[in-house]
Amino acid sequence: MHMTQLDIVPFGTEHLEGALALSRQAGWPHRLEDWETALAMSTGVVVLENEKVVGTTLTTVFGGCATINMVIVAEAIRGRGLGRRLMEAGLDGAHGVPCRLVATQEGLPLYEKMGFRQVGDILQCQGICAAVEAPIDVEWMQSGDLPQIAALDRAAFGDDRSKLIFYMKDVGRFAVIRRDGHVAGFSATRPFGRGEVIGPVVAENADDAKKLILFQIAARGDRFLRIDTPKDLGLSQWLAERGLIHVGGATAMQRGGQVNPSPRVKTFALANQAFG
């Protein structure tokens, strides 16, 4: 069997079209704009076979932790150790800080061998929602709210994702709940895949989280929506009743560091914690 030359090179903007084609072959919903967003926040590598993109990985560093995202190997060249090589490149890009990822069932054995441990289950819910009324105690954010939103996200996520929050203000919309003049919770939406994705959502309790989600649903009319939520929050049935049906899941994993024990209710629209 003839083995072609495979080269691993830094992921640049010239590889975006090839990465898009690869993700479409894998059945992922990403648009070119979704790849552009992920690359703008990350560093990574691609595997090239005769200049064709046949593998990708991205690493996004947030303060003292990192997420590994968009790990894809073309089906035709699987079984040649490329998944491990891509993961090693992803870990190199993290520069030794604790790493998180969201694993499919297929990738779980490799990630466990590389030192990742399971820390939770993620449910993907999506669909077109029936019309709902916007809760009266939720409103769109004001320009001065971003630092408070970033602080709430840091408390929920366990590290500083302010660069993501500030980036999302230009591509999405934030809604907030205020108490005593301060932001007590927030939700975000941004374009993604077939429609829009809701998340992150950070709230003090489940009732607030539901209000923040409903506000985003009310503003989106008949748009296709997706939200990824930790299973242990118990929101999937409530989401299904509003048209966001559980269609799949994945496993949240972490390598190094402590799992954040935040008391806040938190639901993240995750593609590998940020982009998918």
Side-chain angles (χ1 to χ4, degrees):
M1 178 178 177
H2 177 64
M3 302 290 283
T4 57
Q5 176 67 38
L6 298 175
D7 299 305
I8 298 180
V9 302
F11 197 144
T13 56
E14 68 273 19
H15 301 123
L16 284 167
E17 291 283 357
L20 175 64
L22 182 64
S23 62
R24 285 177 172 168
Q25 291 169 10
W28 292 21
H30 296 67
R31 309 164 302 149
L32 180 62
E33 294 88 347
D34 301 323
W35 274 102
E36 290 171 340
T37 294
L39 182 58
M41 302 293 297
S42 313
T43 60
V45 300
V46 298
V47 181
L48 298 178
E49 182 182 44
N50 299 326
E51 301 304 314
K52 179 182 178 182
V53 175
V54 293
T56 61
T57 191
L58 291 172
T59 302
T60 314
V61 178
F62 296 115
C65 77
T67 62
I68 297 180
N69 317 297
M70 314 301 282
V71 182
I72 313 176
V73 178
E75 186 174 0
I77 61 169
R78 291 174 188 170
R80 294 166 64 174
L82 284 175
R84 176 175 284 276
R85 291 176 67 185
L86 285 168
M87 282 300 298
E88 289 171 346
L91 291 170
D92 287 345
H95 305 297
V97 301
C99 289
R100 306 181 190 186
L101 57 78
V102 176
T104 62
Q105 195 65 32
E106 183 180 50
L108 198 61
L110 171 62
Y111 303 144
E112 288 177 332
K113 289 177 183 176
M114 300 190 73
F116 285 85
R117 66 190 188 278
Q118 300 182 36
V119 296
D121 294 311
I122 304 298
L123 304 180
Q124 180 182 325
C125 304
Q126 62 185 40
I128 297 175
C129 298
V132 298
E133 291 188 10
I136 60 173
D137 50 350
V138 182
E139 62 186 71
W140 295 117
M141 77 160 199
Q142 300 174 10
S143 59
D145 293 335
L146 273 175
Q148 293 182 70
I149 289 172
L152 286 174
D153 182 75
R154 183 166 57 250
F157 183 73
D159 216 308
D160 183 7
R161 294 198 301 180
S162 56
K163 71 175 182 179
L164 174 64
I165 297 298
F166 278 78
Y167 186 89
M168 285 182 64
K169 74 177 175 60
D170 295 322
V171 298
R173 296 190 75 182
F174 287 93
V176 300
I177 287 177
R178 299 183 196 279
R179 291 199 173 93
D180 300 322
H182 298 284
V183 176
F186 75 89
S187 61
T189 53
R190 61 181 170 87
F192 174 79
R194 295 170 56 186
E196 296 188 62
V197 65
I198 301 175
V201 179
V202 177
E204 294 179 342
N205 53 62
D207 286 342
D208 281 358
K210 291 175 180 179
K211 290 178 182 179
L212 287 159
I213 293 167
L214 283 174
F215 188 87
Q216 298 287 358
I217 292 173
R220 293 315 183 273
D222 58 357
R223 292 278 287 166
F224 182 87
L225 297 174
R226 168 179 163 179
I227 184 168
D228 293 2
T229 176
K231 183 178 180 180
D232 60 8
L233 293 183
L235 291 179
S236 61
Q237 182 59 41
W238 180 84
L239 290 168
E241 291 168 357
R242 280 139 192 88
L244 298 176
I245 307 301
H246 175 211
V247 297
T251 301
M253 307 190 78
Q254 186 164 321
R255 182 179 189 266
Q258 297 294 316
V259 178
N260 178 48
S262 170
R264 296 183 186 280
V265 170
K266 49 187 182 297
T267 58
F268 295 105
L270 307 165
N272 297 338
Q273 303 284 4
F275 304 115

